[in-house]
Each structure stands twice: as C-alpha cells, then as structure tokens.
Amino acid sequence: MSENLRVAVIGGGTGGLCLAHGLAAAGVEVAVYERSRTRTERLQGYRVHINPHGSAALHECLPAPAWERFLATRGKGTGDFAFVTEQLRELAVIDEEKGADPAAAHHSVSRISLHQVLSTGLDGILWHDKEFVRYETGRNGVTCYFADGTTAEADLVVGADGASSRVRAQLLPHAERVDTGITAVVGKYPLTAETRGLVPARLSAGPNFVLPPRGRGMFTAPHEFAGAEVNDETADVDPVLFDNTGSYVTWAYGASARRLPTGLSELDGSGLRSMVLDQIRGWHPGLSRLVELSPEGTVSRLPIKTSVPVESWETGPVTLLGDAVHSMTPFRGIGANTALRDAQLLCRNLIGAGDVRAAVADYEHRMREYGFQAVRASVRSADQFVTENRLARAMTRSMFAVVGSVPALKRRAFAEHGKS
C-alpha cells in the first residue's frame, strides 16, 4: 500500500462506513463526511436483508467487537421464504439454511441497528454536518469543498453519497437515474402479544413474495428481535417508525402507474394505507389486516428508480461506491449487499496496493461488472413484479409450484435468493 494514503469517503451510509472500518483497521488515514447533522437523521425503521456477499464484507471489514455486535442485534434467523398467491396459498416454501457460518449466511437486521453498529467506533473519522458541494483535483491530490465553507484534502475521494450522489454528478455527468414507472407503498405492522394472532402465522414465519394474477405484487417480511438491540440513539425520535426493540412485519405493495390512482404524492400515511386496502380488496383478509393495522406513521410512498449502466471511465483520484454508481430497484433485496461488496473489494485493493491508481482501476472494472449485472437483474425482477402479462404470471406461479415440490430445486433457490 502506498505510504501516507489519505482517503475521503463522502457519505456515511452502509457501504461508506463499512469501507471506513476496513481501511482504518489497516492503518489507512480515512475520514467520512456525512451531511446529516446527527446520526439519527439517516435512520429508517425497517429491516434489511443481508445476504452472504454482505455478511462476508461485514465480517472482513468490521473489527471483531463490531461484528459480534452485528450478530447480537440481528433478527432471529431469516425464516422460511415463501412464494404465495394473493390468497396465501403456498406455491413454494424454501427452507431456511441451518447451521451456516454467520460470515456466509443470510441475516435479517434492523436498518437502525445496522447503521448504529457501523457508525460506532469511528470517533475522529466520521464527521457529521458536512454537506459535500464539489471537488477539485490538483497536483497534490483532491480538495473537497463543503457547504459550511470548510475543505478537506485527500489522495482518493470515494463517492458513497447515495442515489442522488453529487460526486457522481461531477465525475460522470452523463450517468442517468430513471423512473421505472413503478411505485411501492411500504408499511410496518408491529408484532406484539396482542397483534400477533390477528394475522396468519405465515406472515410472521418468514418472508413472503405475494403473486396475484397480474399487474402488481406484494412482499412481506418479519423482523423478530433475538437479543438486546442497539437503542441508545432513538429515544427522542418517533417511537413507532423508529422503535428498535419491538418485533414487526414489513410490507411493500407495488404496482405500475396505470394501476394506481393519480395524486399519490399528496397522500399522507393514512391515505396511502386506504389506497392499498382498496387495491388488495378480495385478497386474503390476513393481508388486508396487515395493512389496515399498520400505524399510519409507518406508511410511505416509494417511487422506484434505477440507474442506467454506464461504460467504463478513465480512472482518477475520485471513484464511486454503492448507490452512488449502481442504484437499483429494491425487488431483489441486493442494493445494500452490493454496496458492502464494493466496500470489501475496494478495501482489499487499497490495502494491498503498490499502485493506488491501478488498484482503483481494478476495483472499478470488477465493480461495474457485478454492480450493473445486479442493476439489470433488479429491473427484471421489478418488471416481473408488476407484469400485466397474465400468461407470464401464470407461468411464474406454476414454476414456483414445481420448485416447491422438488427438494433439489428448493435448495438451489434458497442458495441464490438475494444474490445478484
């Protein structure tokens, strides 16, 4: 590794913080600049699926105490993954893998807990209230300019500032992020002693991909807390949306614009909840109850966008990571995991680098390959989620019924679940 390498990470999200941990552990001078004023501003009260790529990256980059803290705050297993009809008839149930190495396994984790684990132990490295504005390259490296008038010098700048990345806008102004025409409405159903019995057991047993005849889809996933959660930063925020101690079921209903009423952007949580209830009228009453009893404060609209793959660019002292370069739809659950994979690869390359420029070039080449492959796969999944082709949907349902009846296919399906 080149001596005295200085790395500036723009953005304190999942990938950027993972990279910072890995570089700091190797003795690299690294700083993370995050525009949020406090650590709670980025928190989102829903679960995230960590697949084997993400698990391996976290295990490799995090110091041992942080990795153990991650394991202590994950949910109780991922649960059996089911593909069901809108009447909750099981097409295929893919059994959870038992006894896998945690560093190569699937995990359910609260987004709050994950962010808190990743942002802990970075004192003196993670700087809040630093809104990135632009960078300038020069003979001695890169100068980053922030909205408060301060600057920071680095040899390498890593844009990990999310889907609306300002680093990407300057580095790759031609890179596009487009609307897929799909909108999702998401919510959160608290699982308590009183509410657990109000919905079918299947909804709290594990993730479910709901496949109605055509035109729309729904996904549900429980998060059952297994141990003591990281809760030191959420006392003063919304106790429903940001609760980090109680179990819950996350749900997401998605459809194309032609299926949805106009004016969705003007609806509050209550209005969105009513709209979804109207859309799923005639489905299994358990699904309606799941939506109806979700607090309105947890229900929100999510327009689905995706990046457009770009050709290779000339490697320089500025690069990109995660959603800043390959943002994708949520329909394969691989966005955060791909960002973690980026962090692992870039960290490895920089630590072992004799030539930093060559290390970054190799990272960018490999990242573009698997990153944009994931983007394309997620777009295909999004299209399949809302397909209007009745025959295609019927064939999909039949295919999962076949998978569910053949053990070897079921094992393979779980092994590939959540991967790019």
Side-chain angles (χ1 to χ4, degrees):
M1 179 179 65
S2 297
E3 294 182 1
N4 304 318
L5 175 65
R6 301 167 299 168
V7 178
V9 180
I10 308 300
T14 300
L17 293 177
C18 182
L19 174 65
H21 274 290
L23 293 178
V28 177
E29 182 181 337
V30 58
V32 181
Y33 300 98
E34 166 58 47
R35 68 181 180 180
S36 297
R37 292 179 180 274
T38 66
R39 291 200 289 182
T40 56
E41 285 186 27
R42 291 187 64 98
L43 299 183
Q44 301 176 54
Y46 300 97
R47 55 92 79 178
V48 61
H49 167 234
I50 300 298
N51 70 17
H53 283 312
S55 298
L58 289 170
H59 181 258
E60 182 172 323
C61 293
L62 293 182
W67 169 250
E68 293 301 323
R69 199 179 191 206
F70 164 75
L71 294 181
T73 58
R74 61 187 167 160
K76 289 193 299 184
T78 57
D80 298 339
F81 193 103
F83 296 88
V84 300
T85 70
E86 78 283 4
Q87 300 302 331
L88 294 186
R89 178 173 64 85
E90 294 178 355
L91 299 170
V93 178
I94 302 169
D95 302 332
E96 177 188 1
E97 187 177 2
K98 308 295 184 183
D101 177 0
H106 297 265
H107 303 288
S108 170
V109 62
S110 162
R111 286 185 181 273
I112 299 173
S113 296
L114 179 61
H115 184 73
Q116 290 175 345
V117 166
L118 288 173
S119 60
T120 300
L122 295 178
D123 295 341
I125 294 176
L126 176 56
W127 299 92
H128 287 277
D129 199 17
K130 288 292 184 181
E131 182 181 350
F132 173 83
V133 176
R134 63 185 177 88
Y135 67 81
E136 288 183 1
T137 59
R139 184 180 305 174
N140 297 319
V142 188
T143 302
C144 297
Y145 293 84
F146 301 98
D148 62 2
T150 61
T151 61
E153 306 292 327
D155 301 304
L156 176 66
V157 171
V158 181
D161 48 340
S164 300
S165 171
R166 291 183 179 177
V167 180
R168 182 192 68 239
Q170 184 173 349
L171 179 65
L172 303 175
H174 59 284
E176 294 182 273
R177 187 164 175 261
V178 298
D179 194 329
T180 64
I182 301 169
T183 296
V185 176
V186 299
K188 179 177 168 182
Y189 176 85
L191 281 177
T192 67
E194 293 75 25
T195 65
R196 190 177 295 272
L198 299 179
V199 295
R202 177 62 250 167
L203 297 179
S204 59
N208 299 283
F209 203 127
V210 183
L211 292 166
R214 63 173 180 169
R216 50 235 168 113
M218 193 170 188
F219 175 76
T220 72
H223 184 75
E224 299 267 11
F225 288 123
E229 286 294 311
V230 184
N231 199 40
D232 55 333
E233 300 180 24
T234 60
D236 296 326
V237 294
D238 189 317
V240 176
L241 182 58
F242 296 104
D243 174 41
N244 206 31
T245 58
S247 300
Y248 55 84
V249 177
T250 295
W251 56 265
Y253 172 83
S256 59
R258 62 180 292 182
R259 287 271 179 175
L260 298 171
T262 59
L264 284 187
S265 62
E266 301 174 4
L267 297 180
D268 59 10
S270 178
L272 290 169
R273 185 177 56 190
S274 296
M275 184 277 295
V276 174
L277 286 170
D278 183 62
Q279 293 266 310
I280 65 174
R281 185 178 293 117
W283 292 19
H284 192 284
L287 291 170
S288 295
R289 200 169 298 121
L290 184 77
V291 174
E292 182 180 10
L293 298 181
S294 294
E296 63 182 72
T298 71
V299 182
S300 60
R301 179 181 65 95
L302 181 65
I304 305 301
K305 297 183 179 182
T306 183
S307 60
V308 177
V310 295
E311 298 297 325
S312 61
W313 57 87
E314 182 178 356
T315 297
V318 179
T319 192
L320 300 167
L321 178 154
D323 283 351
V325 59
H326 47 56
S327 70
M328 59 195 75
T329 81
F331 290 98
R332 287 183 71 88
I334 52 179
N337 293 289
T338 309
L340 289 170
R341 186 175 180 180
D342 291 349
Q344 179 187 36
L345 174 59
L346 182 56
C347 187
R348 280 182 182 177
N349 279 18
L350 292 176
I351 291 173
D355 182 333
V356 172
R357 185 69 61 91
V360 174
D362 176 75
Y363 157 75
E364 290 175 342
H365 171 75
R366 294 162 66 185
M367 175 269 290
R368 277 191 297 267
E369 184 174 343
Y370 67 72
F372 288 128
Q373 178 184 353
V375 168
R376 288 186 286 267
S378 75
V379 170
R380 286 196 301 270
S381 292
D383 290 341
Q384 292 167 357
F385 195 79
V386 300
T387 180
E388 293 288 345
N389 188 317
R390 188 183 297 274
L391 177 59
R393 179 55 60 89
M395 291 178 64
T396 298
R397 285 164 53 138
S398 297
M399 181 270 291
F400 281 119
V402 171
V403 167
S405 65
V406 181
L409 292 178
K410 287 175 63 174
R411 288 192 296 270
R412 180 178 177 181
F414 187 83
E416 295 301 316
H417 166 60
K419 293 185 180 180
S420 58

